[in-house]
Amino acid sequence: SSSSSSSSSSSMLMVSKLIDKRLSYIEVFPQALHELSAQLPKLSATIFRENFSGMMLSLSSSSAAAGFPTSEQLFMMQLAATLFPTSDFKHNVTVPMIHLIAHFLTTCPIRGGRDVFAANFLCRILLFSIQESKRYIPELTGFITELILVGVGQDNSTTLPCVFEEKSSVRGMWQGLSDDNKKKKKNDKNKKNRKEIRKKTSNGEKKKKKGASTTLSGLHRLFLQNNHQEFTREETSLAALRVTLRTLSSVVDIYRDLETFPELFQALIPILSKISINQDDQDLVMKLVNKIQAGVKRCLETRLPLILKVIKPKQIQQFNPEITDNFQPGKDKDNDRERVERKKLQKKIKREKKHAMRALQRDSVFIARERQRVAAQQANEAARKRKRIRSEMEREMADTNVHAFKSRKKRGQ
């Protein structure tokens, strides 16, 4: 058993070193890519769109076999969220990326712990993309809710097509933590004795140091496979629960102003209250439960019932009748002087308008005639000029013919 534990710790140490080396490269690239994307925006957008379209095609063709994206694809999505604006609802890079992530969350099967960390990473990218616009994404809330339900051991009750395999290690992953926690409380005395025995031996201290040095972070776990031994540890399950709770807390903070907040998150309160883990993580759970309860209470207090909007009928415009005592046809005997003057001015305006129209028509006819006269004059001048040039050319031709005839006659003599 000691040889197997030492070999596993050494293999974990080698894996962590390799992953650290790859992460060091990833930390250097974004700064250079930011500068290149600023210089070549169209090229960078085209490259990202081609990658996203290829991922969507592979996902739509075989989503069951494809699984969640690789670590390189995850970091590429995060880079796209930082390079391009996320508040634009019509952007040609970020909007397809959001649709792609939502498609991953609803169609890809979750087979193990690595998929849980990858899904949380995708949810974080979505939260970063909607932190300004607060755009509602049903796949995000549905996936987080269903992940907690399946992890605790309850049946998934959401209507979204999230895929959890029956033999997946995620089902009831956090239910065992609560049972182990109860067992640990009963066996405190045995643990104290074991700790005292381990402190006396130097080999035990070395093993602890190696185990502490070989613990992997959340980013390290993205480079592993679902069947890796790292995901069988209780610490990894606790880390997955901790990351999921923090993601849910961020989702609650973003959607706290929605009118449907109680319908989205109220069902999680009894489920989260049943989770029993260590004290630090239990405080995180209780803070999240209190946050959800406060949001539900605030929403229910400010919510108003539906009220039928009643529009007042418009009043019909009334006209007082005008009555003249001595009415004579053809004569206007209006007593209102202002109305009389207004009618006179309107007649004058109408008369002046007709006069102006006639004047404009006469002017347009005159201008057209002048244009025709000028055009005809220019055409006559051109014809006379062509005729004069042609007569001159014929005269010159006749002179040349006479000269040639005389020269030939002299040669013949």
Side-chain angles (χ1 to χ4, degrees), residues 220-232:
H220 288 76
R221 296 184 182 100
L222 295 176
F223 293 89
L224 304 178
Q225 299 294 329
N226 285 314
N227 56 1
H228 197 271
Q229 61 181 356
E230 171 68 17
F231 299 109
T232 60

Side-chain angles (χ1 to χ4, degrees), residues 32-218:
L33 291 176
H34 273 281
E35 296 177 357
L36 287 175
S37 64
Q39 296 176 1
L40 304 170
K42 293 184 179 180
L43 180 61
S44 59
T46 304
I47 292 172
F48 277 101
R49 278 182 60 85
E50 289 178 355
N51 285 311
F52 291 156
S53 61
M55 293 165 64
M56 180 62 79
L57 288 175
S58 62
L59 184 61
S60 60
S61 61
S62 59
S63 60
F68 275 85
T70 61
S71 57
E72 290 81 5
Q73 293 173 344
L74 290 173
F75 289 122
M76 185 181 65
M77 292 181 187
Q78 186 182 18
L79 183 62
T82 57
L83 287 178
F84 302 100
T86 56
S87 58
D88 187 3
F89 285 179
K90 295 182 180 180
H91 199 271
N92 58 355
V93 177
T94 54
V95 174
M97 182 190 70
I98 291 173
H99 293 169
L100 178 62
I101 294 175
H103 204 57
F104 271 121
L105 294 178
T106 53
T107 58
C108 289
I110 295 182
R111 300 186 178 94
R114 190 264 173 191
D115 291 342
V116 174
F117 285 100
N120 277 281
F121 194 85
L122 291 175
C123 293
R124 285 290 178 179
I125 296 174
L126 282 180
L127 291 172
F128 178 78
S129 301
I130 63 174
Q131 63 181 354
E132 294 181 3
S133 61
K134 297 185 185 299
R135 182 180 182 180
Y136 178 67
I137 301 177
E139 293 85 359
L140 176 61
T141 55
F143 177 80
I144 290 295
T145 304
E146 191 168 357
L147 178 60
I148 293 175
L149 289 174
V150 173
V152 173
Q154 295 190 7
D155 294 333
N156 43 341
S157 60
T158 58
T159 57
L160 291 174
C162 301
V163 182
F164 288 87
E165 294 185 352
E166 295 182 358
K167 297 181 181 181
S168 176
S169 60
V170 181
R171 292 187 176 274
M173 180 173 61
W174 300 319
Q175 188 179 10
L177 296 178
S178 60
D179 297 335
D180 293 339
N181 193 19
K182 293 178 182 178
K183 292 179 182 179
K184 287 179 183 179
K185 290 181 180 178
K186 294 180 181 179
N187 299 326
D188 286 338
K189 294 182 181 180
N190 295 329
K191 286 185 178 182
K192 289 181 180 179
N193 295 329
R194 290 174 184 174
K195 287 181 180 179
E196 291 177 357
I197 294 171
R198 287 176 182 175
K199 286 180 182 179
K200 292 179 182 179
T201 59
S202 60
N203 294 328
E205 293 178 356
K206 291 180 181 179
K207 289 179 181 179
K208 286 183 180 180
K209 291 180 181 179
K210 289 181 180 180
S213 62
T214 56
T215 55
L216 299 179
S217 64

